[in-house]
Amino acid sequence: MISFPTIPVDQLVRRLEHPGRKIRMVLDTDTFNEIDDQFAIVYALKSPENMTLEALYAAPFYNELSTGPADGMEKSYQEILKIRGIMNREDIPVYRGSTAYLHAADRPVESEAARDLVERAMASDPSDPLYVVSIGAITNVASALLMEPRIIERIVLVWLGGNALHWADTKEFNLMQDLHASRLVFDCGAPLVLVPCLGVATHLQTSLSELRDYVKGKSDIGDYLYETYQNCSKDHFGYSRVIWDISVIAWLNNPEWCWSSLAHSPHISEDLRWSADSYRHLIRCVNFIRRDEVFRDLFRKIAD
């Protein structure tokens, strides 16, 4: 089994606080899977006062939009390139991620993304950790942790995954896709800020009419986001959609919009439920998101 360094409790608690300053980050995203990853990438790039996006990683996914994890990753890679081009941000490197999920709890999947994460994290000063923000299956990040366990001393993970800790189950797309990887990030002791989906990020709903008023015609990327949203449904009458992935960027921008607390890292049971253990290390878990403040900030930045 892989052995990970143990971060002292007082240091871990400090790492789990909001940074309160501008941070360096990488963004791991299954961009073609949904329409919300596009919004999250734009939000991160439009928030230079709080974060410097150093690299983008394409994450695998498998659903009706892909023929398998490798195809999902490649489609996500191409979608990232498209967004980067629209925003004229070719200065930011983009790396292909895993073409498969972890086959076992201690077997990483080598990829450009995982190797870059290891290199970038190990070059970071522990006093200035690299924020690793993931909004998809966490295969790339788990692989990097297995390839070089020491990076847990130099990173902070911020992940949109699972459901609220009080929810009846945690059968959520990001978490379920790669159960080995998901369990690893809760077990290894790395500083983890968790933004759950059902019960927390579900507050982040918007509609086509709202995007028409505040996003369409404001910029090239605003038009692209509007068209992407418009194409996601054949009937927008009375329809709204959750833009889940902007939640992690919102926490980095302003923790007062994303109420959170410390909790002991849960286990993931065989039937995909959270299992509490008060002897486990601490993580930070977001419990509630102030929807209006987040969208107000996003819309203003898209129009800027």
Side-chain angles (χ1 to χ4, degrees):
M1 293 296 293
I2 302 295
S3 177
F4 290 93
T6 299
I7 301 176
V9 175
D10 58 340
Q11 181 180 333
L12 179 61
V13 170
R14 287 195 297 273
R15 287 282 177 87
L16 292 173
E17 295 175 354
H18 186 271
R21 57 178 172 79
K22 185 173 182 176
I23 54 98
R24 302 162 42 247
M25 65 170 286
V26 293
L27 184 57
D28 185 60
T29 161
D30 57 349
T31 321
F32 195 79
N33 164 55
E34 255 270 23
I35 67 167
D36 49 347
D37 295 76
Q38 292 88 333
F39 282 83
I41 294 172
V42 173
Y43 198 14
L45 288 173
K46 289 285 191 176
S47 301
E49 72 283 4
N50 292 319
M51 62 199 76
T52 298
L53 181 55
E54 293 189 351
L56 287 153
Y57 303 147
F61 76 89
Y62 181 27
N63 60 13
E64 68 279 0
L65 296 178
S66 71
T67 59
D71 180 56
M73 184 280 295
E74 182 62 29
K75 286 177 175 175
S76 294
Y77 177 78
Q78 296 300 329
E79 182 71 3
I80 294 170
L81 294 181
K82 182 185 295 185
I83 295 168
R84 189 183 67 164
I86 294 172
M87 299 189 73
N88 295 314
R89 291 303 308 268
E90 283 81 0
D91 57 303
I92 299 174
V94 182
Y95 297 94
R96 288 181 169 90
S98 307
T99 56
Y101 303 129
L102 266 61
H103 299 296
D106 58 352
R107 290 172 56 190
V109 180
E110 291 270 349
S111 68
E112 293 178 352
R115 288 190 293 270
D116 181 78
L117 176 51
V118 169
E119 181 179 347
R120 205 174 289 273
M122 290 305 294
S124 300
D125 190 310
S127 65
D128 182 25
L130 177 70
Y131 279 71
V132 181
V133 182
S134 179
I135 49 178
I138 204 159
T139 309
N140 295 334
V141 178
S143 294
L145 286 162
L146 291 170
M147 291 160 62
E148 178 48 86
R150 291 179 298 165
I151 69 173
I152 75 167
E153 299 174 318
R154 299 166 184 266
I155 63 173
V156 177
L157 305 180
V158 185
W159 185 35
L160 177 82
N163 294 326
L165 297 184
H166 65 268
W167 212 255
D169 62 64
T170 192
K171 297 176 182 178
E172 181 276 324
F173 186 68
N174 292 348
L175 184 148
M176 288 194 304
Q177 285 184 90
D178 191 340
L179 195 53
H180 287 308
S182 298
R183 283 180 169 151
L184 179 70
V185 299
F186 287 107
D187 294 346
C188 70
L192 170 64
V193 178
L194 178 68
V195 183
C197 291
L198 292 179
V200 178
T202 34
H203 287 77
L204 294 173
Q205 292 185 311
T206 190
S207 64
L208 186 67
S209 58
E210 190 170 42
L211 295 179
R212 184 184 300 118
D213 288 342
Y214 302 118
V215 171
K216 183 182 180 183
K218 305 299 182 182
S219 62
D220 289 343
I221 195 62
D223 287 342
Y224 183 72
L225 294 176
Y226 174 81
E227 292 168 7
T228 300
Y229 189 102
Q230 185 178 38
N231 294 334
C232 77
S233 176
K234 294 180 180 179
D235 183 7
H236 285 276
F237 184 80
Y239 175 85
S240 65
R241 192 180 186 98
V242 180
I243 309 298
W244 313 89
D245 293 345
I246 60 173
S247 57
V248 292
I249 309 302
W251 183 79
L252 289 168
N253 272 324
N254 192 331
E256 293 184 3
W257 301 337
C258 303
W259 302 350
S260 66
S261 59
L262 296 178
H264 292 280
S265 184
H267 292 286
I268 305 172
S269 69
E270 291 301 320
D271 61 348
L272 292 174
R273 299 177 189 275
W274 296 124
S275 176
D277 184 343
S278 61
Y279 289 94
R280 299 259 282 177
H281 64 279
L282 294 170
I283 66 170
R284 180 167 293 280
C285 185
V286 174
N287 305 308
F288 177 77
I289 298 177
R290 301 179 67 177
R291 180 261 179 214
D292 290 356
E293 283 82 351
V294 174
F295 274 110
R296 187 177 295 118
D297 185 50
L298 172 65
F299 292 162
R300 283 174 175 167
K301 287 175 175 176
I302 291 173
D304 185 9

